Amino acid sequence: MAWNQPGNNGQDRDPWGSSNKGGNSDGNKGGRNRGASDLDDLFRKMSRKLGGLGGGKGGNNNGQSGGSNRPPVQFAGGRIISLAIAAVVVVWAATGFYTIKETERGVVTRFGKFSHVVQPGLNWKPTFIDRVTAVDVATVQDLATNGMMLTADENVVRVNMNVQFQVVNPEEYLFSVTNPGNSLRQAMDSAVRGVIGKFTMEKILTANRTVVRNETQKVLEETIRPYKMGIAIVDVNFQEARPPAEVQASFDDVIAARENEQQSIREAEAYSNEVLPLAKGNAQSMIESAQAYKASIVLKARGEVASFSKMLPEYRAAPDITRERLYIETMERVLSNTRKVIANDKSNSMMVLPLDQLMREQRAASQTAPAKAAASSSSAPATQAPSGRQAQNSTRNPNVPAEYNNTYDLSNSGIRGNTERTGRQ
């Protein structure tokens, strides 16, 4: 039976069980007066009536409410419910605002299904409907792997390697694989072991570290590409590779010997770079000097040939005179380079003329002659004039060229030599 069922012999029922016959019954008046003074009773009755809405009836069997003396507040419960609903809506809308950082992207799922990706800044979502997961797309993340690995020459080496990656697709990063970090670690471990197994232990420890790193990065990228993990490999760092502790000392000796070898090679190359340019310069200088000497000899020979060609007619005209002149000119060139002359007057005895000593004595005499002349002039007023040959010898210079017909009297040394130069100049 409805709480406000019309009829019932002209009596309407209200939620509080009072009759509304004429609107001024004594019971109603009494209930209004009591309801105005008892606020607790009002809320208690409201709660009871709201609970009775689901039960179907809120009064007694005669259609009369047990509380016929209660106030008619039929609209108060609706207002409170509306206010409560409005407050819930406001709180629900306020809780939907969120902020995405500059280095992140927000992945929105609606009822668990991917919806869209939001950019950094202030955004809003319907709470309990959409869910936002922030994914860092700017930070470079690290992932390391290490362990004992088998090489191509069946040796065991301990390898530590680090991979740096960055998220480029937030949707694929969250939904393509269950655990992107674990999947990447497994792929990296597989790639490293595969690459290490292609090289010998010596190359891994010494020369081919860069090759191993590049090959590992290439294999890792090819491995994760079909899974669409939404990440990009930034770099792979080959941090450490060392042999087992039992053979570490022997490998250290090998590495030291290899370093010494490289140092010796570098020193030899430095010495070669220093010596080779100098040797090449000296060789080029010798070549140029030889070429210049060749040119001078050729020109000199041509000059002598031209001189001989001019002298040939004279020789044909006067052979004896020309032969004597050539002999004298040759002796002049030879004797001009020596300070001693050996003279032979066609006898068994030979005379050596010490020209250098004679020249020194003559220079000393010429320097002391003025002083002696001054002293003699003051002591003796008159002196005997020298003879003609003595005067001639005193005025002659041993350095006079031999082409002049002169006679030298070297009486001071006790040696007399006569040289005469004849011939047609």
Side-chain angles (χ1 to χ4, degrees):
M1 179 177 180
W3 61 273
N4 60 350
Q5 180 179 356
N8 196 10
N9 297 325
Q11 295 181 357
D12 292 332
R13 298 185 181 274
D14 57 16
W16 294 268
S18 62
S19 61
N20 192 12
K21 185 178 180 180
N24 53 1
S25 62
D26 294 338
N28 193 16
K29 290 179 181 180
R32 183 181 302 112
N33 294 330
R34 188 172 60 253
S37 62
D38 194 357
L39 184 59
D40 293 338
D41 188 42
L42 175 61
F43 280 101
R44 186 170 54 253
K45 291 177 181 180
M46 182 185 300
S47 300
R48 186 170 59 252
K49 291 299 181 181
L50 290 175
L53 290 175
K57 290 186 179 182
N60 53 15
N61 295 330
N62 296 327
Q64 296 290 333
S65 174
S68 59
N69 53 354
R70 296 169 185 172
V73 286
Q74 55 183 354
F75 298 106
R79 292 192 187 97
I80 294 175
I81 294 174
S82 300
L83 291 175
I85 293 174
V88 170
V89 170
V90 171
V91 172
W92 175 80
T95 56
F97 290 98
Y98 63 95
T99 302
I100 299 297
K101 298 180 181 179
E102 184 66 27
T103 60
E104 297 177 344
R105 299 294 182 270
V107 179
V108 180
T109 56
R110 183 163 296 168
F111 297 112
K113 183 179 179 180
F114 172 77
S115 176
H116 58 281
V117 177
V118 295
Q119 299 300 318
L122 183 63
N123 299 275
W124 183 84
K125 64 177 177 64
T127 307
F128 307 119
I129 298 176
D130 288 356
R131 182 178 179 181
V132 180
T133 303
V135 179
D136 192 345
V137 298
T139 303
V140 177
Q141 305 179 37
D142 295 338
L143 187 64
T145 183
N146 54 44
M148 303 295 292
M149 302 180 186
L150 189 65
T151 62
D153 53 354
E154 298 183 356
N155 287 319
V156 178
V157 61
R158 179 177 292 276
V159 176
N160 292 334
M161 194 167 290
N162 176 275
V163 62
Q164 297 178 351
F165 67 94
Q166 187 176 10
V167 178
V168 295
N169 191 325
E171 178 187 358
E172 294 180 352
Y173 181 74
L174 291 178
F175 303 114
S176 293
V177 293
T178 303
N179 191 337
N182 188 28
S183 300
L184 181 60
R185 181 179 289 103
Q186 294 178 6
M188 181 180 178
D189 188 70
S190 175
V192 172
R193 293 182 181 276
V195 173
I196 293 297
K198 297 179 181 178
F199 297 91
T200 61
M201 187 175 186
E202 182 180 359
K203 292 183 178 179
I204 293 173
L205 296 178
T206 56
N208 286 6
R209 294 174 62 91
T210 303
V211 178
V212 171
R213 183 187 69 83
N214 296 336
E215 188 70 18
T216 302
Q217 182 174 354
K218 180 180 178 181
V219 173
L220 181 60
E221 291 176 350
E222 294 177 354
T223 302
I224 67 174
R225 185 179 297 115
Y227 294 96
K228 297 181 180 179
M229 300 173 63
I231 61 177
I233 303 300
V234 178
D235 192 12
V236 175
N237 298 321
F238 194 177
Q239 295 180 339
E240 183 183 13
R242 64 177 185 272
E246 293 77 7
V247 294
Q248 182 69 41
S250 299
F251 273 93
D252 291 342
D253 294 339
V254 172
I255 293 174
R258 192 177 300 277
E259 291 178 354
N260 293 334
E261 177 188 3
Q262 295 298 325
Q263 182 180 0
S264 301
I265 292 174
R266 289 191 295 268
E267 292 177 356
E269 290 177 351
Y271 179 75
S272 174
N273 295 333
E274 180 182 358
V275 172
L276 281 180
L278 182 61
K280 290 180 180 179
N282 294 335
Q284 187 66 26
S285 176
M286 293 176 65
I287 292 174
E288 293 177 355
S289 299
Q291 292 176 351
Y293 176 75
K294 173 184 176 182
S296 64
I297 293 300
V298 170
L299 294 177
K300 183 177 179 181
R302 291 177 180 176
E304 292 178 354
V305 170
S307 176
F308 181 79
S309 299
K310 293 180 180 179
M311 192 182 298
L312 183 60
E314 297 179 1
Y315 180 80
R316 290 176 178 175
D320 297 334
I321 298 175
T322 305
R323 186 183 300 109
E324 185 68 19
R325 190 186 71 176
L326 292 175
Y327 173 77
I328 294 173
E329 290 177 355
T330 302
M331 293 304 297
E332 178 185 359
R333 288 194 301 269
V334 172
L335 296 178
S336 63
N337 296 326
T338 183
R339 294 182 180 274
K340 293 183 179 181
V341 179
I342 300 175
N344 187 358
D345 55 354
K346 296 181 180 180
S347 63
N348 294 330
S349 61
M350 299 182 66
M351 294 180 296
V352 179
L353 302 179
L355 298 181
D356 52 349
Q357 182 177 359
L358 297 177
M359 292 173 64
R360 285 196 301 270
E361 292 178 357
Q362 185 177 3
R363 283 195 299 268
S366 63
Q367 291 177 359
T368 57
K372 291 182 179 180
S376 62
S377 61
S378 60
S379 60
T383 59
Q384 184 180 359
S387 61
R389 182 173 293 276
Q390 292 178 351
Q392 182 180 1
N393 293 335
S394 62
T395 57
R396 295 298 183 184
N397 191 346
N399 295 327
V400 175
E403 56 264 22
Y404 298 97
N405 296 326
N406 295 326
T407 301
Y408 299 99
D409 187 5
L410 304 177
S411 59
N412 293 331
S413 60
I415 301 173
R416 181 176 181 178
N418 295 327
T419 59
E420 293 182 356
R421 177 71 181 272
T422 59
R424 183 176 55 188
Q425 301 296 329

